[in-house]
Amino acid sequence: MRKFVMMALLTLATANVALAADASCDAKAAEKKLAGAAKTSFLKKCEKDSKAAAPQAMCEGKAADKKLAGAAKNSFVKKCVKDAASAPK
């Protein structure tokens, strides 16, 4: 049950970040006045980068909640990101 709840929270966090990333990436593309293929390429890379950063941020938040620091924090975040990446989507 606990694993199911964690997976649900991970899914919700990832979905929220993805939606925010879309708006943020669109805003950045508009700011740079990109259009056509350049805009499409920029948006694709921006969204990919944003999705990769979501698990990292979530895991760092969990580490902060557990008051981890130094090597313990690094180890925890590394394992957490790895587990999030291998989780079924």
Side-chain angles (χ1 to χ4, degrees), residues 9-62:
L9 290 174
L10 175 65
T11 302
L12 288 174
T14 304
N16 288 338
V17 170
L19 292 175
D22 289 344
S24 175
C25 293
D26 283 334
K28 288 179 185 176
E31 182 180 301
K32 293 182 179 205
K33 299 178 183 173
L34 297 175
K39 181 179 179 181
T40 303
S41 176
F42 176 82
L43 290 175
K44 186 175 180 179
K45 182 181 183 314
C46 181
E47 290 168 4
K48 180 181 173 188
D49 292 347
S50 295
K51 287 178 185 175
Q56 179 78 21
M58 183 189 66
C59 291
E60 287 182 7
K62 287 181 182 180

mmCIF file of all heavy atoms in Angstrom, residues 9-62:
data_model
loop_
_atom_site.group_PDB
_atom_site.id
_atom_site.type_symbol
_atom_site.label_atom_id
_atom_site.label_comp_id
_atom_site.label_asym_id
_atom_site.label_seq_id
_atom_site.Cartn_x
_atom_site.Cartn_y
_atom_site.Cartn_z
ATOM 1 N N LEU A 9 1.880 9.655 -5.699
ATOM 2 C CA LEU A 9 2.432 10.990 -5.454
ATOM 3 C C LEU A 9 3.469 11.359 -6.503
ATOM 4 O O LEU A 9 3.512 12.500 -6.972
ATOM 5 C CB LEU A 9 3.047 11.058 -4.054
ATOM 6 C CG LEU A 9 2.057 11.020 -2.898
ATOM 7 C CD1 LEU A 9 2.794 10.946 -1.573
ATOM 8 C CD2 LEU A 9 1.141 12.225 -2.936
ATOM 9 N N LEU A 10 4.303 10.413 -6.879
ATOM 10 C CA LEU A 10 5.315 10.658 -7.905
ATOM 11 C C LEU A 10 4.649 11.007 -9.233
ATOM 12 O O LEU A 10 5.064 11.934 -9.918
ATOM 13 C CB LEU A 10 6.214 9.427 -8.076
ATOM 14 C CG LEU A 10 7.238 9.500 -9.198
ATOM 15 C CD1 LEU A 10 8.251 10.593 -8.910
ATOM 16 C CD2 LEU A 10 7.935 8.165 -9.360
ATOM 17 N N THR A 11 3.604 10.281 -9.577
ATOM 18 C CA THR A 11 2.882 10.536 -10.824
ATOM 19 C C THR A 11 2.263 11.922 -10.818
ATOM 20 O O THR A 11 2.370 12.655 -11.807
ATOM 21 C CB THR A 11 1.794 9.469 -11.035
ATOM 22 O OG1 THR A 11 2.415 8.181 -11.041
ATOM 23 C CG2 THR A 11 1.058 9.681 -12.336
ATOM 24 N N LEU A 12 1.646 12.295 -9.720
ATOM 25 C CA LEU A 12 1.033 13.623 -9.634
ATOM 26 C C LEU A 12 2.075 14.728 -9.707
ATOM 27 O O LEU A 12 1.883 15.729 -10.392
ATOM 28 C CB LEU A 12 0.231 13.747 -8.333
ATOM 29 C CG LEU A 12 -1.066 12.954 -8.274
ATOM 30 C CD1 LEU A 12 -1.675 13.040 -6.877
ATOM 31 C CD2 LEU A 12 -2.045 13.459 -9.309
ATOM 32 N N ALA A 13 3.184 14.544 -9.021
ATOM 33 C CA ALA A 13 4.245 15.553 -9.038
ATOM 34 C C ALA A 13 4.814 15.703 -10.444
ATOM 35 O O ALA A 13 5.041 16.818 -10.918
ATOM 36 C CB ALA A 13 5.343 15.183 -8.054
ATOM 37 N N THR A 14 5.027 14.604 -11.119
ATOM 38 C CA THR A 14 5.581 14.636 -12.470
ATOM 39 C C THR A 14 4.603 15.300 -13.425
ATOM 40 O O THR A 14 5.000 16.100 -14.265
ATOM 41 C CB THR A 14 5.912 13.216 -12.953
ATOM 42 O OG1 THR A 14 6.807 12.622 -12.008
ATOM 43 C CG2 THR A 14 6.567 13.232 -14.308
ATOM 44 N N ALA A 15 3.328 14.999 -13.296
ATOM 45 C CA ALA A 15 2.315 15.595 -14.176
ATOM 46 C C ALA A 15 2.247 17.103 -13.968
ATOM 47 O O ALA A 15 2.171 17.866 -14.938
ATOM 48 C CB ALA A 15 0.956 14.957 -13.927
ATOM 49 N N ASN A 16 2.269 17.544 -12.719
ATOM 50 C CA ASN A 16 2.211 18.979 -12.436
ATOM 51 C C ASN A 16 3.429 19.697 -12.979
ATOM 52 O O ASN A 16 3.321 20.788 -13.527
ATOM 53 C CB ASN A 16 2.084 19.231 -10.934
ATOM 54 C CG ASN A 16 0.718 18.867 -10.410
ATOM 55 O OD1 ASN A 16 -0.238 18.818 -11.169
ATOM 56 N ND2 ASN A 16 0.626 18.624 -9.129
ATOM 57 N N VAL A 17 4.591 19.110 -12.838
ATOM 58 C CA VAL A 17 5.812 19.727 -13.345
ATOM 59 C C VAL A 17 5.786 19.774 -14.868
ATOM 60 O O VAL A 17 6.200 20.758 -15.474
ATOM 61 C CB VAL A 17 7.062 18.976 -12.830
ATOM 62 C CG1 VAL A 17 8.313 19.450 -13.536
ATOM 63 C CG2 VAL A 17 7.204 19.170 -11.330
ATOM 64 N N ALA A 18 5.280 18.721 -15.494
ATOM 65 C CA ALA A 18 5.207 18.691 -16.953
ATOM 66 C C ALA A 18 4.287 19.795 -17.472
ATOM 67 O O ALA A 18 4.608 20.460 -18.454
ATOM 68 C CB ALA A 18 4.724 17.327 -17.432
ATOM 69 N N LEU A 19 3.160 20.008 -16.809
ATOM 70 C CA LEU A 19 2.251 21.071 -17.238
ATOM 71 C C LEU A 19 2.890 22.444 -17.031
ATOM 72 O O LEU A 19 2.777 23.326 -17.873
ATOM 73 C CB LEU A 19 0.933 20.981 -16.471
ATOM 74 C CG LEU A 19 0.065 19.762 -16.786
ATOM 75 C CD1 LEU A 19 -1.151 19.721 -15.870
ATOM 76 C CD2 LEU A 19 -0.361 19.767 -18.236
ATOM 77 N N ALA A 20 3.560 22.617 -15.923
ATOM 78 C CA ALA A 20 4.238 23.887 -15.662
ATOM 79 C C ALA A 20 5.376 24.089 -16.647
ATOM 80 O O ALA A 20 5.636 25.214 -17.083
ATOM 81 C CB ALA A 20 4.748 23.918 -14.232
ATOM 82 N N ALA A 21 6.046 23.003 -16.998
ATOM 83 C CA ALA A 21 7.160 23.102 -17.942
ATOM 84 C C ALA A 21 6.666 23.545 -19.310
ATOM 85 O O ALA A 21 7.333 24.335 -19.980
ATOM 86 C CB ALA A 21 7.876 21.763 -18.048
ATOM 87 N N ASP A 22 5.506 23.048 -19.733
ATOM 88 C CA ASP A 22 4.952 23.445 -21.030
ATOM 89 C C ASP A 22 4.735 24.957 -21.081
ATOM 90 O O ASP A 22 5.133 25.612 -22.040
ATOM 91 C CB ASP A 22 3.627 22.730 -21.298
ATOM 92 C CG ASP A 22 3.812 21.242 -21.585
ATOM 93 O OD1 ASP A 22 4.947 20.833 -21.879
ATOM 94 O OD2 ASP A 22 2.812 20.513 -21.510
ATOM 95 N N ALA A 23 4.123 25.503 -20.043
ATOM 96 C CA ALA A 23 3.858 26.939 -20.008
ATOM 97 C C ALA A 23 5.158 27.717 -19.920
ATOM 98 O O ALA A 23 5.327 28.738 -20.599
ATOM 99 C CB ALA A 23 2.947 27.273 -18.835
ATOM 100 N N SER A 24 6.071 27.243 -19.103
ATOM 101 C CA SER A 24 7.349 27.918 -18.939
ATOM 102 C C SER A 24 8.152 27.889 -20.237
ATOM 103 O O SER A 24 8.754 28.892 -20.622
ATOM 104 C CB SER A 24 8.140 27.247 -17.813
ATOM 105 O OG SER A 24 9.414 27.812 -17.707
ATOM 106 N N CYS A 25 8.174 26.756 -20.895
ATOM 107 C CA CYS A 25 8.913 26.630 -22.152
ATOM 108 C C CYS A 25 8.310 27.508 -23.235
ATOM 109 O O CYS A 25 9.044 28.126 -24.012
ATOM 110 C CB CYS A 25 8.967 25.168 -22.597
ATOM 111 S SG CYS A 25 9.956 24.118 -21.515
ATOM 112 N N ASP A 26 6.980 27.562 -23.285
ATOM 113 C CA ASP A 26 6.321 28.436 -24.262
ATOM 114 C C ASP A 26 6.684 29.895 -24.006
ATOM 115 O O ASP A 26 6.934 30.655 -24.936
ATOM 116 C CB ASP A 26 4.799 28.261 -24.220
ATOM 117 C CG ASP A 26 4.346 26.993 -24.913
ATOM 118 O OD1 ASP A 26 5.058 26.514 -25.815
ATOM 119 O OD2 ASP A 26 3.261 26.486 -24.553
ATOM 120 N N ALA A 27 6.704 30.268 -22.729
ATOM 121 C CA ALA A 27 7.041 31.644 -22.380
ATOM 122 C C ALA A 27 8.482 31.970 -22.773
ATOM 123 O O ALA A 27 8.764 33.052 -23.292
ATOM 124 C CB ALA A 27 6.831 31.874 -20.891
ATOM 125 N N LYS A 28 9.383 31.018 -22.518
ATOM 126 C CA LYS A 28 10.794 31.231 -22.883
ATOM 127 C C LYS A 28 10.952 31.347 -24.396
ATOM 128 O O LYS A 28 11.730 32.163 -24.878
ATOM 129 C CB LYS A 28 11.657 30.087 -22.357
ATOM 130 C CG LYS A 28 11.846 30.110 -20.857
ATOM 131 C CD LYS A 28 12.686 28.938 -20.414
ATOM 132 C CE LYS A 28 12.791 28.860 -18.903
ATOM 133 N NZ LYS A 28 13.538 27.673 -18.466
ATOM 134 N N ALA A 29 10.221 30.520 -25.142
ATOM 135 C CA ALA A 29 10.296 30.577 -26.609
ATOM 136 C C ALA A 29 9.762 31.910 -27.122
ATOM 137 O O ALA A 29 10.332 32.501 -28.037
ATOM 138 C CB ALA A 29 9.520 29.417 -27.219
ATOM 139 N N ALA A 30 8.682 32.398 -26.511
ATOM 140 C CA ALA A 30 8.118 33.690 -26.914
ATOM 141 C C ALA A 30 9.083 34.823 -26.579
ATOM 142 O O ALA A 30 9.249 35.759 -27.358
ATOM 143 C CB ALA A 30 6.776 33.911 -26.230
ATOM 144 N N GLU A 31 9.732 34.705 -25.422
ATOM 145 C CA GLU A 31 10.701 35.718 -25.004
ATOM 146 C C GLU A 31 11.872 35.802 -25.983
ATOM 147 O O GLU A 31 12.372 36.881 -26.276
ATOM 148 C CB GLU A 31 11.211 35.367 -23.603
ATOM 149 C CG GLU A 31 12.187 36.346 -23.008
ATOM 150 C CD GLU A 31 12.624 35.902 -21.626
ATOM 151 O OE1 GLU A 31 11.757 35.755 -20.743
ATOM 152 O OE2 GLU A 31 13.840 35.690 -21.444
ATOM 153 N N LYS A 32 12.276 34.635 -26.493
ATOM 154 C CA LYS A 32 13.376 34.594 -27.460
ATOM 155 C C LYS A 32 12.906 34.858 -28.890
ATOM 156 O O LYS A 32 13.705 34.852 -29.816
ATOM 157 C CB LYS A 32 14.062 33.221 -27.399
ATOM 158 C CG LYS A 32 14.783 32.969 -26.092
ATOM 159 C CD LYS A 32 15.479 31.633 -26.109
ATOM 160 C CE LYS A 32 16.215 31.434 -24.797
ATOM 161 N NZ LYS A 32 17.321 30.534 -24.919
ATOM 162 N N LYS A 33 11.592 35.038 -29.046
ATOM 163 C CA LYS A 33 10.976 35.314 -30.353
ATOM 164 C C LYS A 33 11.295 34.221 -31.376
ATOM 165 O O LYS A 33 11.639 34.497 -32.517
ATOM 166 C CB LYS A 33 11.396 36.689 -30.867
ATOM 167 C CG LYS A 33 10.962 37.809 -29.946
ATOM 168 C CD LYS A 33 11.402 39.149 -30.424
ATOM 169 C CE LYS A 33 10.966 40.185 -29.385
ATOM 170 N NZ LYS A 33 11.475 41.502 -29.662
ATOM 171 N N LEU A 34 11.165 32.970 -30.924
ATOM 172 C CA LEU A 34 11.415 31.836 -31.805
ATOM 173 C C LEU A 34 10.159 31.488 -32.581
ATOM 174 O O LEU A 34 9.043 31.676 -32.088
ATOM 175 C CB LEU A 34 11.867 30.616 -30.996
ATOM 176 C CG LEU A 34 13.183 30.758 -30.238
ATOM 177 C CD1 LEU A 34 13.430 29.518 -29.391
ATOM 178 C CD2 LEU A 34 14.335 30.985 -31.185
ATOM 179 N N ALA A 35 10.346 30.945 -33.771
ATOM 180 C CA ALA A 35 9.211 30.532 -34.600
ATOM 181 C C ALA A 35 9.632 29.352 -35.467
ATOM 182 O O ALA A 35 10.824 29.113 -35.669
ATOM 183 C CB ALA A 35 8.744 31.681 -35.475
ATOM 184 N N GLY A 36 8.657 28.617 -35.947
ATOM 185 C CA GLY A 36 8.910 27.517 -36.865
ATOM 186 C C GLY A 36 9.716 26.391 -36.256
ATOM 187 O O GLY A 36 9.498 25.990 -35.116
ATOM 188 N N ALA A 37 10.668 25.880 -37.036
ATOM 189 C CA ALA A 37 11.474 24.738 -36.623
ATOM 190 C C ALA A 37 12.334 25.055 -35.397
ATOM 191 O O ALA A 37 12.542 24.195 -34.539
ATOM 192 C CB ALA A 37 12.367 24.275 -37.772
ATOM 193 N N ALA A 38 12.822 26.278 -35.301
ATOM 194 C CA ALA A 38 13.640 26.664 -34.146
ATOM 195 C C ALA A 38 12.818 26.591 -32.861
ATOM 196 O O ALA A 38 13.294 26.107 -31.833
ATOM 197 C CB ALA A 38 14.203 28.068 -34.333
ATOM 198 N N LYS A 39 11.567 27.045 -32.925
ATOM 199 C CA LYS A 39 10.688 26.996 -31.756
ATOM 200 C C LYS A 39 10.378 25.548 -31.395
ATOM 201 O O LYS A 39 10.430 25.177 -30.225
ATOM 202 C CB LYS A 39 9.394 27.761 -32.028
ATOM 203 C CG LYS A 39 8.446 27.760 -30.850
ATOM 204 C CD LYS A 39 7.178 28.538 -31.146
ATOM 205 C CE LYS A 39 6.236 28.492 -29.954
ATOM 206 N NZ LYS A 39 4.988 29.214 -30.228
ATOM 207 N N THR A 40 10.063 24.743 -32.388
ATOM 208 C CA THR A 40 9.751 23.334 -32.148
ATOM 209 C C THR A 40 10.923 22.621 -31.494
ATOM 210 O O THR A 40 10.754 21.895 -30.516
ATOM 211 C CB THR A 40 9.381 22.632 -33.467
ATOM 212 O OG1 THR A 40 8.288 23.328 -34.068
ATOM 213 C CG2 THR A 40 8.994 21.187 -33.234
ATOM 214 N N SER A 41 12.113 22.844 -32.016
ATOM 215 C CA SER A 41 13.311 22.228 -31.460
ATOM 216 C C SER A 41 13.558 22.702 -30.034
ATOM 217 O O SER A 41 13.864 21.913 -29.139
ATOM 218 C CB SER A 41 14.519 22.556 -32.338
ATOM 219 O OG SER A 41 15.691 22.042 -31.779
ATOM 220 N N PHE A 42 13.417 23.996 -29.811
ATOM 221 C CA PHE A 42 13.623 24.561 -28.481
ATOM 222 C C PHE A 42 12.635 23.974 -27.482
ATOM 223 O O PHE A 42 13.003 23.588 -26.378
ATOM 224 C CB PHE A 42 13.484 26.089 -28.523
ATOM 225 C CG PHE A 42 13.580 26.727 -27.168
ATOM 226 C CD1 PHE A 42 14.817 26.979 -26.592
ATOM 227 C CD2 PHE A 42 12.433 27.064 -26.462
ATOM 228 C CE1 PHE A 42 14.902 27.557 -25.340
ATOM 229 C CE2 PHE A 42 12.514 27.639 -25.207
ATOM 230 C CZ PHE A 42 13.752 27.893 -24.642
ATOM 231 N N LEU A 43 11.349 23.916 -27.861
ATOM 232 C CA LEU A 43 10.323 23.381 -26.969
ATOM 233 C C LEU A 43 10.584 21.916 -26.627
ATOM 234 O O LEU A 43 10.418 21.498 -25.481
ATOM 235 C CB LEU A 43 8.935 23.545 -27.585
ATOM 236 C CG LEU A 43 8.405 24.974 -27.666
ATOM 237 C CD1 LEU A 43 7.082 24.997 -28.419
ATOM 238 C CD2 LEU A 43 8.246 25.572 -26.294
ATOM 239 N N LYS A 44 10.985 21.139 -27.617
ATOM 240 C CA LYS A 44 11.256 19.726 -27.393
ATOM 241 C C LYS A 44 12.387 19.547 -26.377
ATOM 242 O O LYS A 44 12.272 18.771 -25.434
ATOM 243 C CB LYS A 44 11.625 19.048 -28.721
ATOM 244 C CG LYS A 44 11.789 17.558 -28.635
ATOM 245 C CD LYS A 44 12.027 16.974 -30.018
ATOM 246 C CE LYS A 44 12.197 15.476 -29.945
ATOM 247 N NZ LYS A 44 12.413 14.889 -31.271
ATOM 248 N N LYS A 45 13.472 20.295 -26.548
ATOM 249 C CA LYS A 45 14.605 20.195 -25.630
ATOM 250 C C LYS A 45 14.229 20.724 -24.248
ATOM 251 O O LYS A 45 14.558 20.119 -23.230
ATOM 252 C CB LYS A 45 15.812 20.962 -26.158
ATOM 253 C CG LYS A 45 17.030 20.832 -25.248
ATOM 254 C CD LYS A 45 18.202 21.624 -25.764
ATOM 255 C CE LYS A 45 19.441 21.470 -24.927
ATOM 256 N NZ LYS A 45 19.289 21.572 -23.507
ATOM 257 N N CYS A 46 13.521 21.830 -24.199
ATOM 258 C CA CYS A 46 13.122 22.437 -22.928
ATOM 259 C C CYS A 46 12.233 21.483 -22.124
ATOM 260 O O CYS A 46 12.437 21.299 -20.924
ATOM 261 C CB CYS A 46 12.400 23.753 -23.194
ATOM 262 S SG CYS A 46 11.873 24.630 -21.715
ATOM 263 N N GLU A 47 11.257 20.875 -22.783
ATOM 264 C CA GLU A 47 10.357 19.953 -22.098
ATOM 265 C C GLU A 47 11.093 18.705 -21.634
ATOM 266 O O GLU A 47 10.840 18.196 -20.538
ATOM 267 C CB GLU A 47 9.185 19.609 -23.000
ATOM 268 C CG GLU A 47 8.243 20.782 -23.197
ATOM 269 C CD GLU A 47 7.225 20.584 -24.293
ATOM 270 O OE1 GLU A 47 7.169 19.488 -24.888
ATOM 271 O OE2 GLU A 47 6.479 21.539 -24.564
ATOM 272 N N LYS A 48 12.025 18.214 -22.434
ATOM 273 C CA LYS A 48 12.822 17.046 -22.049
ATOM 274 C C LYS A 48 13.650 17.375 -20.809
ATOM 275 O O LYS A 48 13.704 16.583 -19.862
ATOM 276 C CB LYS A 48 13.730 16.629 -23.204
ATOM 277 C CG LYS A 48 14.597 15.434 -22.893
ATOM 278 C CD LYS A 48 15.492 15.108 -24.077
ATOM 279 C CE LYS A 48 16.488 14.020 -23.714
ATOM 280 N NZ LYS A 48 17.475 13.811 -24.754
ATOM 281 N N ASP A 49 14.277 18.526 -20.811
ATOM 282 C CA ASP A 49 15.090 18.943 -19.664
ATOM 283 C C ASP A 49 14.239 19.124 -18.417
ATOM 284 O O ASP A 49 14.651 18.763 -17.312
ATOM 285 C CB ASP A 49 15.840 20.237 -19.975
ATOM 286 C CG ASP A 49 16.921 20.061 -21.028
ATOM 287 O OD1 ASP A 49 17.272 18.901 -21.348
ATOM 288 O OD2 ASP A 49 17.411 21.092 -21.545
ATOM 289 N N SER A 50 13.048 19.670 -18.573
ATOM 290 C CA SER A 50 12.153 19.901 -17.442
ATOM 291 C C SER A 50 11.683 18.583 -16.838
ATOM 292 O O SER A 50 11.600 18.450 -15.622
ATOM 293 C CB SER A 50 10.950 20.725 -17.871
ATOM 294 O OG SER A 50 11.354 22.004 -18.271
ATOM 295 N N LYS A 51 11.372 17.625 -17.687
ATOM 296 C CA LYS A 51 10.921 16.323 -17.187
ATOM 297 C C LYS A 51 12.033 15.598 -16.456
ATOM 298 O O LYS A 51 11.795 14.886 -15.490
ATOM 299 C CB LYS A 51 10.385 15.468 -18.334
ATOM 300 C CG LYS A 51 9.050 15.944 -18.843
ATOM 301 C CD LYS A 51 8.564 15.125 -20.006
ATOM 302 C CE LYS A 51 7.282 15.699 -20.572
ATOM 303 N NZ LYS A 51 6.849 14.991 -21.769
ATOM 304 N N ALA A 52 13.262 15.766 -16.895
ATOM 305 C CA ALA A 52 14.399 15.133 -16.237
ATOM 306 C C ALA A 52 14.657 15.763 -14.874
ATOM 307 O O ALA A 52 15.122 15.094 -13.951
ATOM 308 C CB ALA A 52 15.646 15.221 -17.109
ATOM 309 N N ALA A 53 14.357 17.038 -14.734
ATOM 310 C CA ALA A 53 14.615 17.747 -13.487
ATOM 311 C C ALA A 53 13.548 17.458 -12.428
ATOM 312 O O ALA A 53 13.807 17.625 -11.237
ATOM 313 C CB ALA A 53 14.692 19.242 -13.744
ATOM 314 N N ALA A 54 12.372 17.015 -12.824
ATOM 315 C CA ALA A 54 11.282 16.791 -11.880
ATOM 316 C C ALA A 54 11.624 15.770 -10.807
ATOM 317 O O ALA A 54 11.467 16.066 -9.620
ATOM 318 C CB ALA A 54 10.018 16.394 -12.622
ATOM 319 N N PRO A 55 12.088 14.567 -11.156
ATOM 320 C CA PRO A 55 12.415 13.605 -10.103
ATOM 321 C C PRO A 55 13.547 14.096 -9.205
ATOM 322 O O PRO A 55 13.536 13.860 -7.999
ATOM 323 C CB PRO A 55 12.844 12.348 -10.866
ATOM 324 C CG PRO A 55 12.263 12.495 -12.213
ATOM 325 C CD PRO A 55 12.186 13.963 -12.473
ATOM 326 N N GLN A 56 14.513 14.801 -9.775
ATOM 327 C CA GLN A 56 15.633 15.326 -8.997
ATOM 328 C C GLN A 56 15.124 16.276 -7.915
ATOM 329 O O GLN A 56 15.496 16.173 -6.752
ATOM 330 C CB GLN A 56 16.623 16.038 -9.927
ATOM 331 C CG GLN A 56 17.808 16.653 -9.218
ATOM 332 C CD GLN A 56 18.869 15.655 -8.840
ATOM 333 O OE1 GLN A 56 18.945 14.578 -9.407
ATOM 334 N NE2 GLN A 56 19.687 16.011 -7.886
ATOM 335 N N ALA A 57 14.250 17.186 -8.288
ATOM 336 C CA ALA A 57 13.716 18.160 -7.343
ATOM 337 C C ALA A 57 12.870 17.475 -6.273
ATOM 338 O O ALA A 57 12.957 17.825 -5.088
ATOM 339 C CB ALA A 57 12.894 19.204 -8.075
ATOM 340 N N MET A 58 12.069 16.500 -6.687
ATOM 341 C CA MET A 58 11.236 15.784 -5.733
ATOM 342 C C MET A 58 12.091 15.034 -4.721
ATOM 343 O O MET A 58 11.845 15.076 -3.518
ATOM 344 C CB MET A 58 10.309 14.797 -6.443
ATOM 345 C CG MET A 58 9.362 14.086 -5.504
ATOM 346 S SD MET A 58 8.461 12.742 -6.267
ATOM 347 C CE MET A 58 9.759 11.601 -6.631
ATOM 348 N N CYS A 59 13.141 14.379 -5.208
ATOM 349 C CA CYS A 59 14.009 13.602 -4.321
ATOM 350 C C CYS A 59 14.803 14.506 -3.385
ATOM 351 O O CYS A 59 15.024 14.160 -2.227
ATOM 352 C CB CYS A 59 14.944 12.724 -5.147
ATOM 353 S SG CYS A 59 14.066 11.393 -6.004
ATOM 354 N N GLU A 60 15.213 15.663 -3.872
ATOM 355 C CA GLU A 60 15.917 16.609 -3.003
ATOM 356 C C GLU A 60 14.984 17.129 -1.917
ATOM 357 O O GLU A 60 15.410 17.352 -0.785
ATOM 358 C CB GLU A 60 16.518 17.743 -3.821
ATOM 359 C CG GLU A 60 17.726 17.290 -4.603
ATOM 360 C CD GLU A 60 18.397 18.402 -5.390
ATOM 361 O OE1 GLU A 60 18.019 19.580 -5.236
ATOM 362 O OE2 GLU A 60 19.306 18.070 -6.160
ATOM 363 N N GLY A 61 13.724 17.298 -2.251
ATOM 364 C CA GLY A 61 12.739 17.697 -1.250
ATOM 365 C C GLY A 61 12.564 16.632 -0.182
ATOM 366 O O GLY A 61 12.469 16.943 1.010
ATOM 367 N N LYS A 62 12.517 15.380 -0.601
ATOM 368 C CA LYS A 62 12.410 14.277 0.358
ATOM 369 C C LYS A 62 13.636 14.230 1.257
ATOM 370 O O LYS A 62 13.522 13.987 2.458
ATOM 371 C CB LYS A 62 12.265 12.938 -0.365
ATOM 372 C CG LYS A 62 10.928 12.716 -1.006
ATOM 373 C CD LYS A 62 10.898 11.349 -1.660
ATOM 374 C CE LYS A 62 9.610 11.066 -2.367
ATOM 375 N NZ LYS A 62 9.610 9.735 -2.994
#
